[in-house]
Amino acid sequence: MPTKTLAGTPVDTDDEGYLVNHSQWNKDVAAALAAEEGITLTDGHWKVLDFIDTDFKERSVVPGMRRLNKVGNIPTKDLYALFPDGPIKKAARISGYPKPVSCV
Amino acid sequence: MKTLLILGAGTAGTIMASTLRNKLPKGEWTITLVDRAPDHYYQPGYLFMPFGIYTENDVRRPMTRTVPRGIDYREADVDRIDAAANRVLLPDGTEVPYDVLIIATGVHPAPEQVEGMVNGDWRKNVHEFYTFEGAKALTERLKSWQGGRLVVHICEMPIKCPVAPLEFTFLADAWLQEKGLREKTEIVYVTPMSGAFTKPVASGILTRLLDEKRISVVHDFAIARVDAEKKSIVSWDEKEVPYDLLVTVPPNMGAEMIDRSGLGDELNYVPTDKHTLQCKAHANIFVIGDATDCPTSKAGSVAHFESEVLTENILHFIAGQPLRSRFDGHANCFIESGHGKAFLLDFNYDQEPVTGTFPLPALGPMRLLAESRLNHLGKMAFRWVYWNILLPGWPIPLVGHKMSLRGKNIPPKEIKAAA
């Protein structure tokens, strides 16, 4: 399991760079993960990240697109503008949660 | 008299009515089954209609032939479930009170969820094959096909029978060859997933097969809209895939009635305990088949395996005992690959599809994750099994609800993880 240092914090990740231990996550780590994706975090990004965080704590799953639309009130268009090329995967990684599993 | 009420007389609802009618004393329990459709459809057969392999009559039977004896059957729509009062309301105001409720209302394609999908081109050059009407319309469209760009497309996951779009693609490739139209047809497979299938071992094998058949794949494509004028589908990040004929799988939504009843999630699936199949919000409501939010395939085999677990758990519930039977997510799917051959997948919540033999170790006779004629014959024989064994609630020999690891070639790392 790779270990690296982000924003001065040592973190454990899986092979695709998703944090394996959410307790190692904080807002500075999030900013560093976002920078790896070429993203500078704004309030718009944090609205998404906060929703994922709250929702994951409640349901233990990264919310899908429709849940972000309907429950989180965040339109898909905005998600693609904020996190280009695969918003759910990128937002999940920056939130410090596992890669979303597609359903079978 | 007590009432067990089942909403939906599809695969799951009909099997539950059959098995529970045999288990619950007739003098104590009425079993009421409600469905709005006059006919029962063999849904796996829709895939074969466009290629002339099945006719309309192969996949349709009147409910009078599929609803078991001893059931109070009502052909009606449902307005909503009033869970607080243990009753279901029908649109004409009729109240149906229940002691135990089973929700088996499935999912349906919802093309109106995608901008521009239901337009002037719908059922002309934009088709789906997940409904009887859709399969019929596509059958007609293919009769006049002269070549061009055929795009097979999945809007979003999860969908009912997740391998069906791949099967459609393989069958189309074979059918076009027979008609002498393959060289005039470009086939493109467009998916929102990162590969051909969700599970790594199967995805690798299926990707190679697509490649061999000269079918190009566009992955990670999240559809934003259909542009009917330009005849193309457009993704949220403005990628465009042009089509002459689009065969899409629209988003799969649960019944609107679930939403009206306040019992569903954002896709109108009912949050359900994935092991006991009890509704998370109400102890006397159970959910089966496509209507659940369980993280396994939405497939007839799953509904069948779940029915064994749910029958036991409903008997436990009625007796005031803990729900002891547990569903493991077992799914078993044939994948038609064209030219009279098929693959077979067997998997559950924890074990992805792998190679091996089924149902017996070494003897098989079916081979897992490999192409064979016998697998195809198994799929074709299944229609008879469906009408005559599955719906009446008889067990299928050697294939139980608990997935067996025997006969499966499991990488050593995974055995450890599964144990």
Side-chain angles (χ1 to χ4, degrees), chain B residues 70-298:
Chain B
I71 300 291
D72 163 35
Y73 178 69
R74 318 242 184 123
E75 187 183 320
D77 213 334
V78 171
D79 176 33
R80 65 189 172 92
I81 299 162
D82 180 2
N86 297 317
R87 61 178 188 166
V88 162
L89 302 169
L90 308 184
D92 65 1
T94 309
E95 270 185 35
V96 188
Y98 61 81
D99 294 282
V100 176
L101 176 68
I102 298 176
I103 299 174
T105 42
V107 294
H108 63 277
E112 70 285 352
Q113 293 283 326
V114 178
E115 187 188 325
M117 187 166 274
V118 186
N119 55 41
D121 229 12
W122 179 245
R123 299 235 196 277
K124 291 189 182 124
N125 294 308
V126 180
H127 286 264
E128 55 84 21
F129 62 93
Y130 273 67
T131 62
F132 185 66
E133 293 307 319
K136 272 202 314 190
L138 183 51
T139 307
E140 287 308 309
R141 178 66 186 86
L142 283 182
K143 281 179 187 165
S144 62
W145 180 254
Q146 294 299 320
R149 248 172 99 86
L150 166 63
V151 175
V152 184
H153 167 246
I154 301 172
C155 288
E156 63 182 65
M157 298 300 287
I159 57 167
K160 188 178 341 211
C161 193
V163 295
L166 278 171
E167 296 183 278
F168 182 90
T169 309
F170 296 146
L171 288 173
D173 169 71
W175 181 85
L176 289 163
Q177 284 178 42
E178 282 163 28
K179 298 281 172 193
L181 289 165
R182 183 62 181 95
E183 295 310 316
K184 295 178 190 159
T185 307
E186 186 185 355
I187 307 181
V188 186
Y189 188 77
V190 184
T191 169
M193 293 182 278
S194 300
F197 194 61
T198 50
K199 306 284 176 172
V201 178
S203 188
I205 290 172
L206 294 167
T207 301
R208 278 199 294 283
L209 196 63
L210 286 162
D211 202 42
E212 278 168 26
K213 293 181 191 288
R214 295 176 297 125
I215 294 158
S216 54
V217 178
V218 178
H219 52 74
D220 293 302
F221 187 94
I223 189 168
R225 62 183 188 277
V226 177
D227 186 333
E229 262 173 42
K230 284 171 78 178
K231 288 175 100 178
S232 66
I233 49 176
V234 185
S235 70
W236 288 102
D237 45 4
E238 299 297 329
K239 283 182 285 189
E240 284 194 32
V241 177
Y243 64 82
D244 292 304
L245 172 58
L246 175 66
V247 178
T248 188
V249 182
N252 276 208
M253 305 280 289
E256 282 95 33
M257 172 277 294
I258 299 292
D259 187 38
R260 288 197 293 274
S261 309
L263 289 171
D265 66 10
E266 62 279 4
L267 284 160
N268 301 341
Y269 303 163
V270 184
T272 304
D273 184 297
K274 69 176 185 177
H275 293 301
T276 65
L277 304 176
Q278 190 173 41
C279 171
K280 285 183 178 167
H282 301 275
N284 64 339
I285 300 181
F286 294 85
V287 196
I288 183 167
D290 298 346
T292 76
D293 71 339
C294 295
T296 184
S297 286
K298 295 194 178 297

Side-chain angles (χ1 to χ4, degrees), chain B residues 17-47:
Chain B
S18 297
T19 53
L20 286 169
R21 189 62 291 173
N22 290 329
K23 301 276 183 187
L24 295 175
K26 286 206 173 67
E28 291 173 34
W29 283 90
T30 299
I31 298 180
T32 300
L33 179 61
V34 179
D35 197 294
R36 60 187 170 194
D39 294 310
H40 185 113
Y41 292 96
Y42 175 59
Q43 297 181 59
Y46 294 159
L47 170 70

Side-chain angles (χ1 to χ4, degrees), chain B residues 386-400:
Chain B
Y386 182 85
W387 295 120
N388 298 289
I389 296 183
L390 211 68
L391 291 185
W394 306 112
I396 294 182
L398 299 173
V399 186

